[in-house]
Structures are given as structure tokens and as C-alpha cells.
Amino acid sequence: MAGPALSSPDTPRIAELDGALDKIGVTRSHHTIIFLILIGCLFDSFEQNAIGLVGPMLKQQWGLDATGIGLLNTVTFASAAIGRIVSGLVADRYGRRVMLSLDLLLFTLGAGICALAPNLTVMAVGRAIVGFGLGGEIAIAVTMLAEFCSSKFRGTAVGLVNVGAGGLGNFLAPAFGLLVFTLFPGENSWRWLFLCLMLPALLGAFYRRYIPETPRFLLSRHKIAEANQVLSRLACGKLSGPAPQAAAWIADDGCREQAARIKVRSMEIFQGPLARRTVPLCIAIWMTYGAQISVLTLMPTILVSLGYSMSKSLLFTMVMQSGSLLGAVAASAFGFHMPRKRVLTAGAICACAAALAIGFLAKNIAMILLAGAVFQFFVLLLNTTIWIFAPELYPTRVRAFGTAFILATGTAAGAFMPLVAGRLFDTFGLAGVFGMIAAMYGVFTIAVRTVPETYGKSPDAPLEDEGMPLGAQAEPAVVASHS
């Protein structure tokens, strides 16, 4: 059975929406939305790093080995994969905005359970709740920013999410851990770390007050008046206060009967041309996200096993994570200037080389830190670019679910691959772990070459990828010409 057509049911108005967003450009409203989402994603990253930070303490207090620490991570990321898929399904049916606040509150609740956990079982329950909320929030944040911004700024805006979540968050996570452990010393200092991770609950009120529903989702539900209202708020630069006079950015013919019959068919992403985007990108994100989480989870434990103290191990981890911040910033900049597949291909080759250097050439701490920082640069360059790429591959009616499913696949890799990496480290040391990671980036390179290019196109423009040669790049579509 042939897959669904990729054209939109309301193309003329989508052209008007694209033109409106391009005309509005970047305003203070965009800055506010990005800032609020970035703060939430920063704490998401701290939560993602939490098991790695407290791993040596749990190893000492509860007798866990590297495999046990990996198991806790597996629970977190397996739940995050489920959270992303559920959040995507709900967001495509009921809107993006409500899921953002709900997911934030869920991972805050889970952090509180982790702080009070008396044993490994309760800790695992808390990490499952954390994972569900964490996974959903990131997927919805990426989708929302892709739908709020113009075609030119879209890549940069989505990339900034991972500047906060993957770059700045991964860089500051060891410092955050050191700060908490210094302020609250003792055998229960890890509990204070989880308590401090409950602070993002305060963001829920700001999310509900300042971040509106996206105009693309509103238009997909034929809520043209509401879409025009959001566009007017974006244009005037004020998200709060009295509503501005709504300009007619999108023409309203009053016809809603046809829109009422439009149904969300989430399984479209596994059919026809959409499947030829979903499958390769899922393979690619499995490789790069599995590699990243394996390193984040195991690196403090690896450094302690090499004879360094807990404090030095966290400091060294922070030095390596400096590459993460620079990689995410670079991806955000490249998202404005360069095609997605070009960035992904070059970055994967460099990440493969860096992994081989860590596993087989790094013979002292200076070489480990240098190669580790270079590796983290390219890992975050790749992960951030996938975050930019994913929402551009799907039409609005299935964008949240398509994006969430791709990110959930990466999260599943984060759940499974640290177990494999932990076993390889226990058996073969650094060479075993980073040899596997290098091979994963080889597979990544092959996968991304089969996905159509989206740079410079409307996210709702048809992508003529059927019959496209491997690695070919289509010319950017002229949005206003579709009718």
C-alpha cells in the first residue's frame, strides 16, 4: 500500500504562514520563548548527567559496579523513550503547550523520589518518572521552536535547545555536582543533588503564562484567528499583557467543516516516503546518542578506576565537556548557514577518528582530556544537527510524533548502550568501549546519506525524495509557489 502524500491539505495558508514568519523575523517574543525553554533543557541535562555524577558514590555506598550504574541509566532512558512517544502523540492531537509544562513537572517529581530513595529499587522508580518527563519535554521543545521560527532562523533556534541541554548543560553538570557536594558534604550529598534538581518546577508557571501554542499547530486545526493572534504577539515582541490588535497574517474564509474532518494518523511516519526518512534517521540517532550517553555515564567511573579522586574525576569530566558546549554552538551556527547532511557527514567522520584516538592512542591524562574534548565537540555537533533536522522532515499533522519517535530511538539507545559499554569496559578497557563507538559512527555516516535534504525549505513543503539519488540534495522549495 502506498504511503501518504506529503503535501499539506491547506497549502495556500501554509504559504501565508511561512511568509508571515519570515516577515516577522526574530523578536523579543522569540528571545523569551527560547530563554524559558533553554532553562528547562539545562536542568534536563543535569538530570541526564545525574547518575554519572553520583555513580562513584552509589558504587561505594550501595556496592554497585559499572553494570549496575548502567542499569540505572537504562531505566531512565527507557522511560524517556516512552515519554517522548506518548508526548508526541498527545501533542499532535491536543497541542504542544500543555505537554511542555506537564513533562517538566513529571521529571521534577521523579527527582524528589530519587533524593529520598532508600535502595536501588526505589531509585529505579524515581529514575523512570524522571525519564518519562525528561524525554517528553525535550521532544516538545524541539518541535515548538521549529514551528515558532522562520525558515532561516529555525535551525539556529532548535540548535540553541541543545546548546542549553547538551552543550552548556553537559559542561556545567560536573560543576553543578561539585557545588552541591561542597555545600552538602557527607555520604548523603548525592541526595542533595537530586533535591536541587527539583528547582525547575518553578518554571511551570512561566511556561503556562508566557509560551503560547504554536501558529503551525493552530493553523493545522484551522484556528486561523488564534494563529493570527499568536503571530501578532510574536511581531510586537510581547507575550504577556493585553492582546495586541490581531493582523490578518493568514486569510480566514470561515470554512471549518473540512478542517474538522482532518484526522491525525501517527502511523504515517512508517509509510512510503515518510518511512524513508524515519528509518535512516532512527538508525543514525541510535548510533550517536548511544555513544554520547555511554561516555557521559561511564567517564567519571572510568577516571576513578584509573586512580583519580572523585573531585579530580569530575573536574576532568568538565574539561572534556567543554567540547560539548562548543559543538552545540557550532551546530546552531551551521544550522543557519549549511545543509544538514553536509554537517552530519563531516561530523561523523571526525567523531569516529576522535573515538579511535581515545581508545588506542591516549596514553596519559592530557591526551585523554584533549581527545575527549574533541570527541564531545563532534558528538554534540551531530546530536544538535539531528535535533534541527528531525522536525523539518515531517508535516505539521505528525511533526511532534515523528520528531518524538526519532528522539525516542536515541533515548532507547541511551538506555541500552551504556550496559554494553559498561560490560566492554569491564572486559576490554578503554579500547573496547571506544572501538565500538568508532564503528557506530561508521554506520551513522551511511544512514544519514539516504535522507533527503531539508535546508532552506518550508517544514510543510512537499519533499520530492522518491527516486532521489543517494546523497543528492534537492533545491530549496519556493514556498509561495505551492497552491
Side-chain angles (χ1 to χ4, degrees):
M1 181 177 179
L6 301 183
S7 59
S8 168
D10 201 14
T11 303
R13 285 167 183 76
I14 288 172
E16 292 177 340
L17 174 58
D18 288 326
L21 289 172
D22 287 339
K23 184 176 180 179
I24 291 169
V26 184
T27 69
R28 288 180 59 190
S29 294
H30 291 94
H31 297 160
T32 301
I33 292 170
I34 292 171
F35 175 75
L36 289 174
I37 289 177
L38 278 179
I39 294 298
C41 292
L42 178 68
F43 277 88
D44 282 354
S45 185
F46 288 175
E47 275 284 14
Q48 183 173 285
N49 282 270
I51 293 301
L53 294 174
V54 304
M57 296 181 181
L58 296 179
K59 182 177 181 180
Q60 181 179 11
Q61 193 169 123
W62 288 353
L64 301 181
D65 57 12
T67 302
I69 294 170
L71 179 61
L72 271 180
N73 213 65
T74 295
V75 171
T76 305
F77 286 93
S79 180
I82 297 171
R84 284 182 171 170
I85 291 173
V86 172
S87 294
L89 288 168
V90 173
D92 277 335
R93 285 164 173 76
Y94 304 108
R96 304 7 178 158
R97 183 171 177 261
V98 65
M99 288 306 304
L100 194 67
S101 296
L102 181 59
D103 287 325
L104 176 70
L105 294 176
L106 278 174
F107 90 70
T108 304
L109 171 64
I113 294 174
C114 291
L116 301 174
N119 52 49
L120 183 60
T121 301
V122 177
M123 172 71 80
V125 171
R127 296 309 296 172
I129 297 174
V130 165
F132 192 98
L134 185 153
E137 186 182 9
I138 292 290
I140 300 306
V142 168
T143 301
M144 290 187 78
L145 287 182
E147 294 182 347
F148 272 124
C149 299
S150 64
S151 59
K152 193 69 174 175
F153 185 63
R154 184 175 66 231
T156 298
V158 175
L160 286 173
V161 174
N162 215 23
V163 172
L168 191 63
N170 286 338
F171 175 65
L172 292 179
F176 178 73
L178 281 173
L179 176 63
V180 173
F181 298 155
T182 301
L183 293 176
F184 305 100
E187 64 177 11
N188 288 320
S189 58
W190 61 270
R191 297 185 185 276
W192 285 101
L193 179 75
F194 288 116
L195 283 173
C196 290
L197 289 173
M198 297 179 67
L199 291 175
L202 299 175
L203 279 174
F206 289 95
Y207 281 0
R208 288 191 296 272
R209 180 176 180 184
Y210 291 104
I211 300 181
E213 186 54 81
T214 71
R216 286 194 186 276
F217 178 81
L218 292 171
L219 180 57
S220 74
R221 292 297 179 271
H222 212 87
K223 296 181 178 180
I224 295 177
E226 291 92 331
N228 281 329
Q229 186 68 59
V230 173
L231 289 169
S232 297
R233 283 198 177 275
L234 292 176
C236 76
K238 295 181 180 179
L239 294 174
S240 61
Q245 181 79 29
W249 298 97
I250 305 170
D252 188 353
D253 60 4
C255 181
R256 288 169 172 75
E257 289 79 6
Q258 182 180 0
R261 293 196 298 269
I262 296 174
K263 294 183 179 180
V264 176
R265 294 178 295 164
S266 300
M267 294 304 104
E268 289 184 42
I269 71 168
F270 305 114
Q271 299 173 358
L274 286 183
R276 290 194 287 275
R277 303 167 199 183
T278 302
V279 174
L281 209 59
C282 283
I283 293 172
I285 200 170
W286 179 282
M287 298 301 155
T288 187
Y289 211 83
Q292 180 198 20
I293 301 304
S294 294
V295 173
L296 288 178
T297 302
L298 293 177
M299 189 53 70
T301 301
I302 288 173
L303 291 171
V304 168
S305 72
L306 294 176
Y308 297 100
S309 66
M310 178 66 183
S311 296
K312 282 189 175 181
S313 296
L314 290 177
L315 180 61
F316 291 156
T317 301
M318 184 176 176
V319 170
M320 285 186 279
Q321 292 295 357
S322 64
S324 298
L325 175 58
L326 296 175
V329 171
S332 187
F334 291 160
F336 191 84
H337 296 288
M338 296 179 65
R340 316 310 184 207
K341 289 168 64 175
R342 187 181 304 170
V343 176
L344 291 171
T345 302
I349 294 171
C350 293
C352 179
L356 290 173
I358 297 173
F360 297 95
L361 300 179
K363 303 301 181 184
N364 54 59
I365 191 61
M367 283 293 296
I368 291 175
L369 293 181
L370 176 61
V374 172
F375 175 76
Q376 291 294 346
F377 174 89
F378 287 109
V379 167
L380 264 293
L381 175 71
L382 295 172
N383 290 1
T384 305
T385 303
I386 286 183
W387 286 22
I388 294 170
F389 201 14
E392 296 177 341
L393 290 168
Y394 300 100
T396 297
R397 64 182 179 274
V398 292
R399 180 172 298 121
F401 180 62
T403 302
F405 188 85
I406 288 173
L407 297 187
T409 302
T411 305
F416 176 74
M417 295 311 297
L419 286 176
V420 178
R423 182 60 58 89
L424 285 173
F425 178 72
D426 290 339
T427 306
F428 300 106
L430 278 178
V433 174
F434 285 94
M436 176 193 71
I437 288 173
M440 291 168 69
Y441 280 112
V443 176
F444 177 101
T445 305
I446 297 171
V448 297
R449 298 306 302 166
T450 67
V451 184
E453 184 58 71
T454 60
Y455 178 67
K457 297 183 178 182
S458 165
D460 283 296
L463 292 179
E464 303 297 337
D465 56 324
E466 293 187 279
M468 181 178 291
L470 182 66
Q473 177 181 332
E475 293 297 320
V478 180
V479 175
S481 67
H482 293 290
S483 59

